[in-house]
Amino acid sequence: MAGLAVLGAVPSVTLAQDNIQSDSMKKDDAMQDGMKHDTMKHDDMAPDKNAKALFTGTFHGKVHSTSGRATVYQGTDGKRILRLTHFKTSNGPDVHVILVATRDAKDDANFLSGNVERIELGKLKGNEGDQNYELPENVDLSKFQTVSIYCERFNANFGAATLAKF
């Protein structure tokens, strides 16, 4: 009799575990979806439809395959936005979008040692998809010419895009 009671309990325990796993998988999928894409409409190039493209560049991979385009837009309100489009890179911990004061981030020895000035734009919103980052007002884009996808934890430049006048 005790054996039957145990067997009767197993399916409900298994079912409960399946529900927990299913719920946590749904949460994980939702978090990953949230990480992959920002909430902006992808058909708008910038929040301001009359925004003007100032600089643009194409990503090339360094430590990880990285692709897409980085474009700086200026809205009619004067605010500048860095927009990543068709963007894709590897997932990683503590990955940031930074501007670096160099023509390109190919010189890893100099770039990674901290000898190059950097401006933090924020944590990477997702490893895939279009996304925006607001630029500080005082950024001199003739000096900070490269966008880098930078992993702080491993001191690694995932990929970079050199910005050129549009």
Side-chain angles (χ1 to χ4, degrees):
M1 209 49 152
L4 288 176
V6 168
L7 285 177
V10 169
S12 63
V13 169
T14 303
L15 182 60
Q17 287 177 340
D18 286 346
N19 286 339
I20 291 169
Q21 289 174 347
S22 176
D23 287 347
S24 68
M25 284 180 180
K26 286 178 189 173
K27 287 178 187 171
D28 288 346
D29 288 345
M31 282 177 37
Q32 285 180 347
D33 286 344
M35 283 283 296
K36 286 183 182 176
H37 304 286
D38 66 2
T39 57
M40 254 194 84
K41 292 181 182 176
H42 294 289
D43 57 346
D44 290 338
M45 287 194 173
D48 179 349
K49 289 187 181 197
N50 295 316
K52 179 182 175 184
L54 302 176
F55 294 87
T56 191
T58 303
F59 280 99
H60 58 83
K62 290 299 294 169
V63 175
H64 293 278
S65 178
T66 303
S67 60
R69 179 165 290 281
T71 306
V72 175
Y73 292 94
Q74 184 167 13
T76 54
D77 61 359
K79 288 185 180 180
R80 294 181 296 174
I81 301 284
L82 172 70
R83 176 131 173 103
L84 307 185
T85 52
H86 306 292
F87 179 74
K88 188 172 186 177
T89 193
S90 298
N91 207 354
D94 206 19
V95 181
H96 297 252
V97 178
I98 61 174
L99 292 175
V100 290
T102 183
R103 183 70 188 128
D104 197 356
K106 289 182 180 178
D107 179 6
D108 283 347
N110 212 10
F111 172 74
L112 297 177
S113 70
N115 293 338
V116 177
E117 283 184 79
R118 310 167 189 205
I119 295 176
E120 169 81 28
L121 298 181
K123 283 195 167 208
L124 185 67
K125 295 177 182 179
N127 65 314
E128 292 183 23
D130 300 351
Q131 47 202 284
N132 292 338
Y133 299 87
E134 195 168 324
L135 297 181
E137 288 181 27
N138 60 349
V139 172
D140 178 0
L141 292 172
S142 66
K143 179 178 180 180
F144 292 91
Q145 298 178 351
T146 299
V147 178
S148 172
I149 307 304
Y150 177 70
C151 178
E152 294 254 347
R153 184 173 182 187
F154 293 107
N155 196 31
N157 178 20
F158 278 25
T162 302
L163 298 172
K165 283 199 177 232
F166 192 78

